[in-house]
């Protein structure tokens, strides 16, 4: 099914398409993340805005730690860890047995790079802009949501593959 040209193309062409899709998803995530963070910094400086009272508030916070505020004050650790994950994503894309998993990896890549961009290029002393407050979860941003969504999709695909009786791994061991 699908496009017969994709199925009959060379392995190099299919790999190139995977990296193109990965890049497109990551760039879209980074763009949306950075635009929403810029809007948050510009429009929420005077205080939070209730979108749905008690459910969703847009609240500007700056996070020097990782997800959920862990390890505050160590932004360099998170830049280094994010760059390691970026390298791993490029490594995994090459070895995927299911090309559809490129999208979750693109979400993770874009989210990680969106937060790295805050730490390196915003004048916030290595902090990340967070602004989405669901009142039952720590304040987060679009990049965080994409990272968590990408991980959840990968876990779901992994559980689905193992539960279906197929022994086909998500990634190949050999290059």
């Amino acid at each position: 099914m699908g496009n017969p040209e994709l199925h009959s193309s060379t392995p190099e062409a299919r790999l190139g398409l995977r990296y193109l899709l990965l890049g497109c998803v990551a760039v879209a995530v980074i763009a949306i993340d950075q635009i929403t963070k810029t809007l948050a910094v510009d429009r929420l400086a005077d205080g939070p805005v209730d979108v749905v009272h008690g459910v969703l508030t847009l609240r500007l916070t700056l996070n020097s730690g990782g997800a959920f505020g862990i390890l505050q004050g160590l932004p360099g650790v998170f830049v280094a860890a994010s760059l390691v994950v970026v390298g791993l994503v490029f490594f995994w894309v090459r070895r995927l047995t299911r090309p559809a998993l490129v999208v979750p990896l693109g979400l993770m890549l874009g989210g990680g790079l969106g937060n790295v961009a805050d730490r390196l290029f915003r004048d916030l002393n290595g902090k990340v802009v967070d602004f989405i407050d669901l009142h039952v979860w720590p304040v987060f941003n679009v990049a965080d949501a994409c990272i968590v969504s990408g991980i959840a999709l990968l876990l779901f695909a992994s559980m689905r593959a193992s539960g279906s009786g197929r022994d086909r791994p998500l990634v190949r061991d050999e290059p």
Side-chain angles (χ1 to χ4, degrees):
M1 305 274 185
N3 186 342
E5 293 174 8
L6 291 179
H7 294 288
S8 63
S9 63
T10 65
E12 294 81 15
R14 287 191 303 269
L15 182 60
L17 288 173
R18 285 183 190 183
Y19 280 118
L20 178 63
L21 178 59
L22 179 77
C24 288
V25 171
V27 166
V29 167
I30 293 166
I32 293 167
D33 176 63
Q34 291 299 304
I35 289 167
T36 57
K37 287 175 177 174
T38 298
L39 288 170
V41 169
D42 291 346
R43 305 233 170 114
L44 300 174
D46 294 332
V49 174
D50 276 330
V51 178
V52 179
H53 184 72
V55 177
L56 173 61
T57 301
L58 301 179
R59 177 185 323 278
L60 181 63
T61 63
L62 301 176
N63 180 3
S64 66
F68 315 118
I70 62 169
L71 298 174
Q72 290 290 318
L74 299 171
V77 169
F78 294 102
V79 170
S82 295
L83 295 177
V84 167
V85 170
V86 166
L88 289 173
V89 165
F90 281 101
F91 176 78
W92 288 331
V93 167
R94 180 176 275 299
R95 289 169 171 69
L96 285 178
T97 60
R98 295 182 179 94
L101 296 178
V102 171
V103 172
L105 289 173
L107 291 170
M108 294 167 53
L109 178 65
L113 291 175
N115 283 337
V116 166
D118 275 19
R119 293 187 193 282
L120 296 179
F121 303 118
R122 288 188 190 268
D123 190 20
L124 301 172
N125 296 321
K127 296 177 183 170
V128 170
V129 174
D130 288 333
F131 62 92
I132 303 169
D133 185 356
L134 297 176
H135 299 271
V136 295
W137 198 261
V139 181
F140 62 98
N141 58 47
V142 171
D144 297 336
C146 289
I147 292 167
V148 170
S149 297
I151 291 169
L153 288 168
L154 288 176
L155 290 173
F156 176 75
S158 179
M159 289 187 301
R160 190 167 166 236
S162 65
S164 69
R166 293 181 277 173
D167 290 332
R168 187 173 149 201
L170 298 180
V171 294
R172 293 186 310 271
D173 290 333
E174 71 280 350

